[in-house]
Each structure stands twice: as C-alpha cells, then as structure tokens.
Amino acid sequence: MPLKIICEDITKINCDAIVNAANSTLLGGGGVDGAIHKAAGKNLLAECRTLGGCKTGEAKITKGYKLPAKYIIHTVGPRYKDGKHEEESYLRACYRNSLELAKQNKCKSVAFPLISSGIYMYPKDEALKVAVDEISTFLFKEEMLVYIVIYDKSNYKIDEKLFNDISAYIDKNYVESILLEKCLNFNYDIDFEEDEQIVSAVESEYKKRSLDDALKQLDESFSQMLLRKIDEKGMTDAECYKNANIDRKLFSKIRSNRFYKPSKTTAIAFAIALELPLAETNEMLMKAGFALSHSNKFDIVIEYFIINENYNIFEINQALFALDLPLLGV
Ligand code: APR
C-alpha cells in the first residue's frame, strides 16, 4: 500500500528513511527530534553540525546511524501562529522537499511524523490533511511506500463533522443490523428501507442490461470485471491502482490472473478507485467472494462514503484509522 497511516514510535521503523521534525539549528531538541537523536546516537549530532542548519520548509539528509532506518531526512516545519503567516505553504514544502530528497537517494520507503503538530502547535487535523494531500500527490507520479506515523493515537484528529457524520451513520445502521439479527431469530417481520434500497438498486442495474450482457457478466471473474470497468471509465491501469492505494506489483498479479482472489480491502479499494455506486460495488465484491454487510462497522463506513459519493481513498483511510478499522489498499 503506497500510503499507510500507522501508530508507532518512528525511531523503531525499519524503512529506508525516516523524517525528523527538526528546528533550524539541526542540533536536536525535544519531541520527535529528541527521540531520533537519542536513538541514533552522538554521531548523528556530529554530522548535523556539518550541515550549517536548515531553513523552514527545506530538508537535509544524514545517515541513520543506530536507527533501523538507513537515512534521516531533517526538515523544519513552521511554527503555527494563526494560519496567516504562510504556515501551510511552509508545511507543504517540508513534505515535498523531504519526498524529493528521498527520491534522489533512491529510497523505496519513507516514514513521516506529523510535522509541526507538536511543539510548533499546528492543528493536528489540518497538519494531517496537508500531509495526506502532499504525499498522495507525490504518489500519483512516483512509486514509493510512505508511512504517516502517529505517535499518540489519543490526539489523532480528523475533520470533526466528518467523524460525527460517520459515527451517526454507523450507530443507525449497525444497531439496526443487530436488531435485524435479533428479530430474525424471533421471526419478527422487519423491513429496512436501506436494505430494500440496496436490493432495488441491484435489480434496477440488472434490468438496464440486456439479458445476454447480464448472462455474460454472471460468470465474469473479479479481475475481468475490474479490467472491463477500467476500460469503460477510460482510466489507465496506473490511474486505477494509484487511486486504489494499491502498488503496481499487486495490480500486475491481478491483471495477469483472471481467477485472482483479492482480499476484501483490496476489492473495495478498486471499487472506490472506479467510483462504483453501491450496487456495482456489491456486484464486484461478490465476484471476489465478499459482500458489504450491516453487521460490520468497516462495511458501514465504506457504504457511508459511497452513498455520499466521496471516493477519496486517502480521506476514507484517515476515517478508518480514526475508528481503529483496517485501511483500504493492499
Ligand atoms: N515517533 C513518532 N512521532 C512522534 C514521536 C516519535 N517517537 N515523538 C513525537 N512524535 C510526534 C508528536 O506527537 C507530533 O505529532 O511528532 C509530531 C511532531 O511533534 P514535535 O516533535 O513536537 O515537532 P514539531 O511540532 O514539528 O516541533 C518541532 O520541536 O522537538 C523540537 O527541535 C524540535 O524545535 C523543534 C520543534
């Protein structure tokens, strides 16, 4: 998965480069800067002394020394004042310049902390949006595995309105499905308009197709439907797997094996990348042996985003991470 959000101490991550949220002296400090210098050992400070500092928004690279990571990319984020002192553009530059430096040093994997979101007081939900936006823009043109490392999950913040809307949608549907199961056990007669909506949506999809088309597609495999949909949408393969947050290797496996069985999160990731409506998403999932269900919070969150026609997989993953649910992609 090209962009993952994980909960970890960045000094423990074994990837090609980790990014340090440093200050302009590059001579260490508190927060993640202090943790990285402590874990890397004193030779890191000796090398930093030779760099002559670093300007806000820029990035410089050193060896990783005692860290599992081969390199450390030091970048200086903006101190947040009121959002009117170019804080956002400096923060974006930190991600862009760090990713460019990683690419120049042939890094295949990079881990970022949430730059400026600690001592420099950048609002965490805004800092996360900038990070995801800049990293996903880079990943649409480059191949790299990028981690956003959340050290303290308790103050991980996503957009409050989005979080409340999703939670309300889960409560409404998830409760109903438990009620549905209870009632089915007692054979109560229940009709949930949502389920009827899904059934009628699938039926109307099938009615629109000619009989022989529908028969042809009945025995179509998951990967055949995926490739057919890519053609119908006029997408390139790369656009599809990048929008699905899936790496090229996995896509090639699926493309070359018509009977390939993807994981549920991978199948859903492609349905999101293709911006399929709910009925076609369920149809594609069924070809991989899965279905969205109201007795599964993860499925309800996916259904929420599809019904609201929000197919931004990075935004969906931020919400899934906030709800401690699996992320979309490989
Ligand atoms: N692993 C991952 N993330 C961490 C770790 C860690 N070990 N320690 C802290 N963080 C997270 C914080 O929770 C925060 O979300 O890193 C993010 C950035 O916080 P800071 O380290 O405070 O960095 P920043 O806000 O950019 O302020 C930079 O702080 O440490 C000094 O020298 C540094 O002056 C500079 C300033």
Side-chain angles (χ1 to χ4, degrees), residues 174-303:
Y174 189 56
V175 169
E176 278 183 354
S177 60
I178 292 182
L179 187 58
L180 176 65
E181 269 156 29
K182 285 205 179 82
C183 296
L184 290 182
N185 294 340
F186 296 97
N187 297 321
Y188 288 172
D189 176 21
I190 284 225
D191 64 336
F192 287 93
E193 83 244 19
E194 277 83 9
D195 294 1
E196 278 167 10
Q197 267 171 351
I198 294 175
V199 171
S200 61
V202 176
E203 276 164 6
S204 67
E205 276 302 313
Y206 275 104
K207 276 191 202 113
K208 262 190 271 168
R209 277 181 231 161
S210 65
L211 183 61
D212 66 305
D213 268 2
L215 288 175
K216 228 188 302 170
Q217 285 157 17
L218 272 183
D219 59 4
E220 184 184 44
S221 71
F222 169 82
S223 65
Q224 286 170 321
M225 180 175 176
L226 171 63
L227 300 180
R228 172 171 62 85
K229 282 291 170 193
I230 291 174
D231 286 345
E232 285 174 11
K233 299 270 180 183
M235 291 172 94
T236 63
D237 288 355
E239 279 167 345
C240 183
Y241 66 75
K242 287 193 177 283
N243 280 314
N245 199 29
I246 297 278
D247 63 27
R248 182 165 36 88
K249 283 197 293 288
L250 175 58
F251 181 81
S252 313
K253 262 194 237 166
I254 296 172
R255 171 174 263 294
S256 56
N257 173 1
R258 63 177 280 202
F259 299 111
Y260 187 89
K261 279 275 179 266
S263 69
K264 184 172 186 178
T265 56
T266 297
I268 291 175
F270 279 117
I272 294 287
L274 293 162
E275 301 194 359
L276 298 184
L278 201 52
E280 283 191 278
T281 296
N282 269 311
E283 184 190 345
M284 187 173 225
L285 280 175
M286 280 189 262
K287 291 182 185 299
F290 304 110
L292 289 182
S293 141
H294 274 189
S295 57
N296 177 322
K297 281 190 183 178
F298 171 83
D299 293 5
I300 294 173
V301 173
I302 298 302
E303 185 184 288

Side-chain angles (χ1 to χ4, degrees), residues 19 95 124 171 224 290 314:
V19 176
Y95 288 97
K124 288 196 183 295
D171 291 348
Q224 286 170 321
F290 304 110
F314 300 110

Side-chain angles (χ1 to χ4, degrees), residues 8-11 21-23 28-35 113-121 124 149 151:
E8 189 48 90
D9 174 346
I10 202 166
T11 63
N23 60 51
V32 71
D33 195 6
L114 264 189
I115 299 164
S116 283
S117 69
I119 296 167
Y120 281 179
M121 305 296 284
K124 288 196 183 295
V149 183
Y151 186 56

